[in-house]
Amino acid sequence: MPKCGKYRMEKQRHFEAPISSKDIAIFPAQATCTVIFEPLEAQVHISYQLHRVSNDSTLPHVSSYKHQFSNIYFTRLTMLRKAVEQRAEKRWKNVAGKPTYVRRVLDVVKSQLCWIVGTVYIDMPLKPNVLQDIGRDHSIAPPPPPVKFNSDKDVVMLEDESGRITLVGEKVKVACLVTGVIVAVLGVETLNGEFEAIDVSIAGLAPFCENGGEVEDVMNTEEPDSLPPQIDEYIGIVSGLQIGSPSPIDAQIQMLVEFLVGEAGGPEDRKIAAQVSCLVIAGNSLAIPISKETDKDDKKDRRFKKASSHATFSPHPAAMLAAHLLDLSSVLPVHILPGPDDPAGAILPQQPFPRAMFGKASSSETFYCETNPVWLNIECENTKHLPPSKRTSTSRSKSSSLHLKRNILITSGQPVLDMYKYLSSPPSTCLSIAMSTLMWQHIAPTAPDTLWCHPFRDRDPFVLHQTPDIYVVGNAPEFATALVRSGDEDAKKEQRCRVVLVPSFAETGLLVLVNLRTLNVRCVGFGLEGTSAMKKELDSEKE
């Protein structure tokens, strides 16, 4: 169906490219395009722009691996210390006893009420240890890795540039901390040298960026006919396509492509598809090749496979993915991120796929290979398009137009899944961990402890300088969503961040749609008749 809009991206150079389909002509660059959604009572004009918010996830051209990983911890503490100190001072300014702030953890005086700031380190006996792996008897097969790292023998410590001090107390146990988080701890040092915590404070949400979109107080059930079409735009998100897996889902993926290009479903389905501004594929687009020497159900980590192991490599999965991307990018912008199972570098931040591996899709100006994680800034201007006979000087007034600016942070899920191993569940869930990363102002605190990352020396790209409007975590065990509120009494209005956990499409057949205006979430399922993933629509009202 007819669909067109203006799409702009700023990276190292500025350019514009139109979005087109087979039903309309290709517009030249810098042209203003009209989007026509049918059947609607009024035509809609949409100006859609995309800008890069940050290039922190892009590695330098000459990457060095000679630096120690301790540098990233010191840099992280320097970057977040001020925010943690300010929130802790405000939190404890009226505490009885007037606790003092001790700058260095080794300068704490025994039995004196004070508070300190540092980096959490948890000594976990069940955590993988490379020294133990090297020193073990290799004639004996190693035990399978544990599902969880936490145990009753874990020891929580707080460290800074001067040293470490052990934290004890019930507050530490219920704080749900992981290694690498910057916190402030109020308490006293006991006679045996341990610091008994009375309270724990974290950095809190980073400042929100200014945006023109209005977020509703509650998530109302969205019926397509009840939504004002002139102000509703969606971003589509899928994850875990797993093309080339032993149990292929080619039919569901084809249904997904036909739905997004407007070739499947009834009028209501096509109306929703016409409101999808762009598609994000958040990791695991390709499945891991199966080794000939192992059973197909044996999913061993690629790091521990022998060099003599031969994989049944086939170019068909990559060619099939390229064909789908070509169809999609001819209709709407497509952003693809690498994931843990994709043929990409394993260390974070993962660098973009080589465009050459996607064939003809690589020449499309609306196809983007992104880093993992990636920041996107989307701008949408929505107005009613009136016939010339009814146009007036006020036809673009505030009542008939809306300008949206949404900052979107997207990851393929590795940080959240790694932190999930640190915490007991229940009470911790992947959703609660994702929400905690916003409050910690850091999306991957366990890197580089148990999560591979580049040894940055003078910066930590995972620190959040601002809170996104939409935070997407791909390859989650199940779909979940919530709103994180700013809670700032000084702000003119309460600001919110929509957290969305996107499950594997290969397992659930779910396409997640996030309304850029209201931050409401809609799920569209694709499946064959007789399966649990049969095509359906679910209106999600979770907070």
Side-chain angles (χ1 to χ4, degrees):
M1 62 179 302
K3 187 174 184 180
C4 177
K6 186 171 68 175
Y7 192 86
R8 185 168 65 193
M9 163 183 164
E10 288 182 357
K11 197 171 185 181
Q12 295 180 354
R13 62 189 182 94
H14 176 81
F15 64 93
E16 294 191 0
I19 307 169
S20 62
S21 67
K22 300 178 181 179
D23 300 323
I24 59 176
I26 302 295
F27 289 85
Q30 303 292 342
T32 300
C33 306
T34 300
V35 184
I36 302 176
F37 298 145
E38 295 179 353
L40 296 178
E41 296 180 357
Q43 297 178 355
V44 180
H45 175 273
I46 296 175
S47 176
Y48 184 89
Q49 300 176 355
L50 179 140
H51 306 274
R52 299 300 179 201
V53 177
S54 173
N55 290 327
D56 286 346
S57 296
T58 303
L59 295 179
H61 294 292
V62 181
S63 300
S64 175
Y65 294 87
K66 65 181 181 180
H67 304 298
Q68 294 291 327
F69 283 102
S70 59
N71 294 323
I72 195 172
Y73 286 115
F74 296 145
T75 302
R76 183 182 306 172
L77 180 59
T78 302
M79 297 173 68
L80 293 176
R81 180 188 287 273
K82 184 177 180 180
V84 174
E85 288 176 350
Q86 291 177 347
R87 196 163 188 263
E89 185 176 1
K90 183 178 179 181
R91 182 185 181 95
W92 299 323
K93 64 180 180 180
N94 296 325
V95 172
K98 296 182 179 180
T100 59
Y101 172 43
V102 179
R103 182 80 181 181
R104 290 157 41 97
V105 298
L106 293 188
D107 293 338
V108 174
V109 180
K110 286 183 173 61
S111 303
Q112 180 180 348
L113 182 64
C114 64
W115 57 279
I116 53 180
V117 176
T119 306
V120 174
Y121 175 76
I122 305 180
D123 185 13
M124 313 178 80
L126 298 181
K127 185 172 61 179
N129 190 317
V130 65
L131 298 179
Q132 294 179 359
D133 185 63
I134 294 175
R136 70 176 177 82
D137 186 359
H138 289 273
S139 62
I140 303 176
V147 178
K148 292 281 189 178
F149 297 155
N150 63 302
S151 67
D152 296 335
K153 299 180 180 180
D154 296 344
V155 179
V156 183
M157 290 172 276
L158 195 71
E159 67 173 16
D160 61 6
E161 300 90 342
S162 63
R164 290 179 179 175
I165 188 170
T166 303
L167 302 179
V168 295
E170 190 64 26
K171 284 291 184 179
V172 177
K173 297 180 180 179
V174 300
C176 295
L177 300 175
V178 299
T179 294
V181 178
I182 309 299
V183 299
V185 184
L186 173 67
V188 294
E189 185 179 4
T190 61
L191 296 179
N192 57 1
E194 298 175 335
F195 193 84
E196 185 172 357
I198 301 175
D199 194 14
V200 178
S201 178
I202 56 179
L205 290 178
F208 281 79
C209 284
E210 295 295 331
N211 61 76
E214 296 183 359
V215 183
E216 297 177 354
D217 292 337
V218 297
M219 288 189 63
N220 298 322
T221 302
E222 294 186 333
E223 295 296 334
D225 292 334
S226 64
L227 293 176
Q230 68 272 23
I231 56 176
D232 281 312
E233 284 291 301
Y234 292 90
I235 175 174
I237 311 161
V238 293
S239 180
L241 296 178
Q242 294 289 346
I243 298 178
S245 62
S247 301
I249 55 167
D250 300 345
Q252 290 93 318
I253 296 177
Q254 185 61 37
M255 292 168 62
L256 169 68
V257 174
E258 292 180 357
F259 171 80
L260 290 173
V261 301
E263 297 177 354
E268 300 300 330
D269 295 322
R270 297 188 180 188
K271 184 188 300 184
I272 296 173
Q275 293 175 285
V276 179
S277 297
C278 67
L279 175 68
V280 175
I281 304 176
N284 285 0
S285 301
L286 297 172
I288 299 178
I290 303 299
S291 173
K292 292 181 179 179
E293 298 181 1
T294 59
D295 187 76
K296 291 184 178 181
D297 295 331
D298 186 15
K299 299 181 179 178
K300 291 185 177 179
D301 197 316
R302 288 174 292 177
R303 294 174 291 174
F304 305 106
K305 289 187 177 181
K306 297 181 179 179
S308 59
S309 176
H310 299 286
T312 57
F313 173 76
S314 172
H316 296 299
M320 184 181 301
L321 175 61
H324 292 315
L325 293 175
L326 178 62
D327 293 338
L328 291 170
S329 61
S330 64
V331 177
L332 78 168
V334 178
H335 304 263
I336 185 170
L337 282 68
D341 294 344
D342 287 320
I347 65 171
L348 293 180
Q350 287 182 289
Q351 297 307 286
F353 285 118
R355 293 182 65 91
M357 69 180 292
F358 298 112
K360 294 182 179 179
S362 61
S363 60
S364 174
E365 292 182 327
T366 55
F367 172 66
Y368 303 98
C369 296
E370 308 289 0
T371 60
N372 173 36
V374 64
W375 278 88
L376 302 178
N377 186 327
I378 293 179
E379 298 184 18
C380 291
E381 184 175 358
N382 244 326
T383 60
K384 281 188 177 181
H385 183 71
L386 302 176
S389 60
K390 296 184 180 181
R391 292 179 185 173
T392 64
S393 59
T394 61
S395 61
R396 293 180 62 86
S397 62
K398 185 176 180 180
S399 60
S400 60
S401 65
L402 179 66
H403 187 68
L404 289 173
K405 290 183 180 180
R406 293 299 188 193
N407 294 315
I408 305 174
L409 174 59
I410 308 168
T411 74
S412 294
Q414 295 99 313
V416 171
L417 295 178
D418 186 68
M419 286 182 281
Y420 184 72
K421 301 176 183 179
Y422 278 74
L423 303 170
S424 299
S425 54
S428 296
T429 63
C430 288
L431 180 61
S432 66
I433 294 173
M435 297 168 65
S436 297
T437 59
L438 297 175
M439 303 299 297
W440 296 333
Q441 294 189 22
H442 201 283
I443 61 173
T446 56
D449 185 33
T450 54
L451 189 65
W452 294 352
C453 77
H454 188 272
F456 294 96
R457 184 179 182 182
D458 55 356
R459 63 189 176 100
D460 186 348
F462 308 113
V463 172
L464 293 178
H465 302 286
Q466 61 187 27
T467 300
D469 297 307
I470 302 173
Y471 179 26
V472 178
V473 178
N475 300 293
E478 60 183 3
F479 169 78
T481 182
L483 277 175
V484 177
R485 296 173 173 83
S486 62
D488 188 359
E489 298 178 355
D490 299 331
K492 295 181 181 179
K493 64 177 182 178
E494 187 181 47
Q495 294 176 301
R496 304 175 183 183
C497 171
R498 168 62 65 185
V499 182
V500 183
L501 270 59
V502 182
S504 170
F505 185 86
E507 298 177 1
T508 62
L510 285 183
L511 165 68
V512 179
L513 303 177
V514 181
N515 192 313
L516 295 176
R517 177 180 64 89
T518 64
L519 298 187
N520 288 352
V521 181
R522 174 190 296 272
C523 293
V524 182
F526 299 87
L528 300 178
E529 187 175 356
T531 64
S532 59
M534 186 174 58
K535 185 180 181 304
K536 55 187 176 180
E537 288 185 5
L538 303 174
D539 289 329
S540 177
E541 300 181 19
K542 300 181 181 179
E543 296 201 14

